[in-house]
Amino acid sequence: MGLYNLHSKISTRWLHPLLLLGWFLIGLGLRFTNLTAKPPWIDEFATIVFSLGNSFLPVPIDQAIAPEILLQPLQPNPSATIGDVIHNITTQDNHPPLYFVLAHQWMNLFPNQGKYVSLFAARSFPALLGAVSVLLAYVLGKVAFRSRLVGQLAAAMMAVSPYGIFLAQEARHYTLAVIWVIASLSCLAIATSHLQNRTLLPLWLIICWVGINALGIATHYFFSLTLCAEALVLIFLAWQQSQQAKTLVFLSSLWWRIYVVAFGTVVSGLVWLPSFLDNRDRSSLTEWIQFEGIGLNLLNPIFQAFAAWVTMIMLLPVESAQLALVIVSGLVMLIFAIWATPILVRGWKFQLQQPQNRLATQVLTGVVLGAIALFFILTYIFGIDITRGARYNFVYFPAVITLVGASLAASWYSSQKAVALIWLMGFLSAITVIFNLGYQKYYRPDLLAPIIQENSQVPVLIATTHKSLVQTGEMMGIARELKSSAQTTTQFLLAHQEKDPNTSTVVLENTLKQLPRPLDLWLVNFHAPIAAEAKKCLVQTKSLAFVDGYEYKLYQCR
């Protein structure tokens, strides 16, 4: 009997660590599967270039250039320093530099990358951080609800979340931001527990919370939305306690340590204010999220936000090229949502009714609702439609996953099959993202490059209007796909444009006059009047395939 008890204790002791290791390995495997299969897009090119310590500025504009010149910023730069990374990102982009500095160090671990930086080197860092978030989801669930079961189920859902996979398989900073969100929410959960119990916040918590918030702001400015949502929760908690105590509790000594955290966080954010204000001079980088609330456009943010919420848990191949598969996937998702939503809502209500879990449920729910409200305020009042970028929902994504874990924990002992089916849907959804059937890339140069190769047997000029590094990245995607082809006479033209579109037209006109014939002119995302010299060429009338992210037209100049 003694040996049996000993074996039972050992088994129980190792159960949760081994189970958590299993979720981590599943999350790691999913995030690294097909990691380099999808072509990089504009934002990833920006991340790679700045992380290398390079710049887009050396790429010539207003003249025909070879693909090798266009791709030069993607070459590893052994002489680049962390100072170069910080300088370039703060003067040419609109993000804080922390992730880029870390990515710079990470990519230095891959010295033999060839002429251009390895896509695996760029994407493996966020993929690894995404897997780490699985472990941290367990910590948040356990800390907030004082339940290893909630922690395990939160980790399990984080491991297979299609939204989490989407963030992790891009060479971007969002998985690092997710880590800071999880850490900050963990501090919030501990702090609210102290406030409820009328005990002072420990000094270590104050230091850690301020430090985490500082790192979060240094990773992405939108992390401040998480902080604002947390502040709204704390304000509501103070009001609630004041109502119960019939006095202004936020003036008590208990709350002064919260104010210290707030002050420290604000100071750490003000460090980046000059850089943030300078970003207004680079408004062309963010013009795509400007909101025009006209007609049916008023409904777009609602649908965009709803799509992001759903895909945190499930996403079947609704972006497949096969219509039948799209219809079947949509129906299955609808049926699953009708079945699963009551289970999740019932579990959420159950946790609200438990005295020991009510506060944690209220806090995380408040963070989610507060963040969503901020999204819509920015969209409808300030005209900044951040619902267009699904990735920006990272600011409350961990809170959603933790609440899902808590809801599933309420159903665990009564309906483990339901919990397993919800997790299985997440797993299938992760596979959907991995094979590019969901959360597809916005730009598909891998589809445009073969079209150019098939239709052009003479020298090629690919021309686009240029405003910022966005258009440079668009062309880099095409150049990267074409660089291994036998077509050695491809050239690119970045016709710069400030406000007058005709400036790009003049550049194209002059360039065409200098180039010999025969020549195939491909106008790709060219937003300017067509040059007179181009009108002398024969327009390709054959219908060519639609390509995401690229509007193109072929002119055959003979």
Side-chain angles (χ1 to χ4, degrees):
M1 193 65 168
L3 288 175
Y4 175 79
N5 288 337
L6 179 61
H7 175 74
S8 177
K9 288 181 180 179
I10 293 174
S11 299
T12 303
R13 177 184 177 185
W14 288 102
L15 173 63
H16 285 282
L18 290 175
L19 195 56
L20 183 58
L21 177 62
W23 302 134
F24 171 76
L25 293 176
I26 290 172
L28 186 69
L30 290 173
R31 284 157 177 78
F32 275 83
T33 301
N34 272 1
L35 184 59
T36 60
K38 307 169 194 175
W41 68 295
I42 297 162
D43 284 15
E44 290 185 281
F45 280 124
T47 302
I48 294 169
V49 170
F50 290 128
S51 296
L52 288 172
N54 294 336
S55 166
F56 286 89
L57 296 180
V59 177
I61 59 174
D62 294 343
Q63 61 179 290
I65 57 175
E68 292 77 15
I69 297 176
L70 179 58
L71 295 174
Q72 190 276 332
L74 299 178
Q75 295 180 6
N77 183 2
S79 64
T81 65
I82 290 177
D84 295 324
V85 175
I86 295 174
H87 173 75
N88 290 338
I89 193 67
T90 54
T91 58
Q92 300 173 38
D93 196 57
N94 53 4
H95 294 99
L98 178 59
Y99 174 84
F100 300 88
V101 169
L102 297 177
H104 175 77
Q105 299 294 89
W106 174 267
M107 287 194 286
N108 284 340
L109 301 177
F110 300 81
N112 301 317
Q113 301 183 39
K115 185 175 182 180
Y116 301 108
V117 66
S118 160
L119 186 56
F120 179 84
R123 284 182 175 169
S124 55
F125 185 47
L128 180 61
L129 293 175
V132 171
S133 70
V134 175
L135 302 176
L136 296 180
Y138 169 83
V139 174
L140 176 56
K142 185 175 181 296
V143 166
F145 290 89
R146 297 182 181 85
S147 167
R148 290 188 293 184
L149 177 60
V150 173
Q152 291 288 358
L153 291 172
M157 294 306 298
M158 180 67 83
V160 299
S161 168
Y163 179 79
I165 303 292
F166 155 65
L167 293 183
Q169 288 202 318
E170 290 199 336
R172 297 293 285 155
H173 41 198
Y174 296 104
T175 50
L176 180 61
V178 165
I179 286 177
W180 302 133
V181 171
I182 294 174
S184 186
L185 290 177
S186 298
C187 292
L188 176 66
I190 297 171
T192 52
S193 177
H194 278 282
L195 292 172
Q196 185 185 47
N197 296 328
R198 305 292 195 273
T199 56
L200 290 173
L201 270 64
L203 183 59
W204 68 265
L205 178 63
I206 295 173
I207 295 172
C208 288
W209 203 356
V210 172
I212 289 165
N213 292 344
L215 292 171
I217 297 172
T219 300
H220 201 293
Y221 292 132
F222 282 177
F223 178 82
S224 59
L225 295 176
T226 301
L227 301 179
C228 290
E230 292 180 356
L232 290 173
V233 168
L234 290 169
I235 291 170
F236 177 79
L237 181 61
W239 174 83
Q240 194 177 51
Q241 288 186 352
S242 295
Q243 293 294 310
Q244 294 171 352
K246 306 296 184 182
T247 183
L248 299 177
V249 298
F250 55 82
L251 297 178
S252 68
S253 58
L254 290 175
W255 282 84
W256 279 104
R257 296 199 174 192
I258 291 289
Y259 302 149
V260 172
V261 174
F263 177 78
T265 299
V266 169
V267 170
S268 70
L270 289 176
V271 171
W272 303 107
L273 185 60
S275 177
F276 180 78
L277 294 176
D278 285 345
N279 290 339
R280 292 181 300 179
D281 298 330
R282 298 186 283 276
S283 59
S284 60
L285 296 175
T286 57
E287 61 184 10
W288 66 278
I289 59 174
Q290 300 305 309
F291 178 62
E292 296 181 3
I294 303 174
L296 292 178
N297 286 343
L298 287 169
L299 300 177
N300 288 343
I302 297 173
F303 289 112
Q304 289 160 180
F306 180 76
W309 304 337
V310 170
T311 57
M312 291 182 184
I313 301 174
M314 64 171 176
L315 177 62
L316 294 182
V318 291
E319 294 184 83
S320 170
Q322 300 177 3
L323 181 59
L325 182 57
V326 172
I327 294 173
V328 171
S329 299
L331 286 174
V332 171
M333 288 179 64
L334 178 61
I335 294 170
F336 178 82
I338 293 173
W339 168 79
T341 300
I343 296 174
L344 294 173
V345 172
R346 190 162 54 246
W348 175 78
K349 289 181 177 178
F350 175 84
Q351 296 292 10
L352 272 179
Q353 294 166 359
Q354 305 305 304
Q356 69 275 21
N357 293 333
R358 182 181 299 120
L359 179 63
T361 307
Q362 290 176 334
V363 166
L364 292 178
T365 302
V367 168
V368 173
L369 295 179
I372 291 173
L374 291 170
F375 270 56
F376 286 127
I377 289 171
L378 286 173
T379 299
Y380 287 109
I381 296 180
F382 294 96
I384 305 173
D385 185 9
I386 59 175
T387 66
R388 292 191 63 186
R391 54 195 180 276
Y392 297 143
N393 293 279
F394 77 87
V395 301
Y396 62 92
F397 166 57
V400 172
I401 291 297
T402 307
L403 286 171
V404 170
S407 297
L408 294 178
S411 304
W412 176 251
Y413 295 107
S414 60
S415 183
Q416 292 184 12
K417 289 183 179 179
V419 175
L421 284 174
I422 291 173
W423 184 86
L424 181 60
M425 172 58 85
F427 182 80
L428 295 175
S429 301
I431 299 298
T432 297
V433 176
I434 287 170
F435 287 95
N436 207 29
L437 297 173
Y439 272 124
Q440 291 185 345
K441 295 296 183 185
Y442 308 110
Y443 293 83
R444 296 298 304 274
D446 56 320
L447 299 181
L448 181 58
I451 294 174
I452 295 174
Q453 291 171 326
E454 292 169 6
N455 290 274
S456 292
Q457 285 74 45
V458 299
V460 167
L461 175 67
I462 300 173
T464 189
T465 47
H466 176 271
K467 290 186 176 181
S468 66
L469 60 85
V470 172
Q471 290 73 39
T472 307
E474 290 174 356
M475 295 303 104
M476 277 182 166
I478 302 173
R480 182 178 177 274
E481 296 296 325
L482 290 174
K483 66 179 173 52
S484 59
S485 71
Q487 209 169 36
T488 57
T489 53
T490 301
Q491 296 187 84
F492 289 83
L493 173 65
L494 303 174
H496 192 64
Q497 179 185 117
E498 291 292 342
K499 294 182 179 180
D500 183 7
N502 290 307
T503 56
S504 298
T505 306
V506 172
V507 169
L508 177 60
E509 178 80 12
N510 294 334
T511 304
L512 286 175
K513 289 179 179 179
Q514 297 172 8
L515 295 178
R517 305 297 192 269
L519 176 74
D520 276 359
L521 169 65
W522 290 80
L523 296 184
V524 181
N525 295 345
F526 193 87
H527 305 298
I530 305 302
E533 194 71 18
K535 293 180 180 178
K536 298 177 183 178
C537 305
L538 178 65
V539 181
Q540 173 63 269
T541 57
K542 182 177 69 174
S543 179
L544 299 176
F546 171 79
V547 177
D548 284 329
Y550 294 101
E551 296 179 9
Y552 63 95
K553 185 172 289 187
L554 169 60
Y555 292 80
Q556 296 173 321
C557 307
R558 299 291 181 260

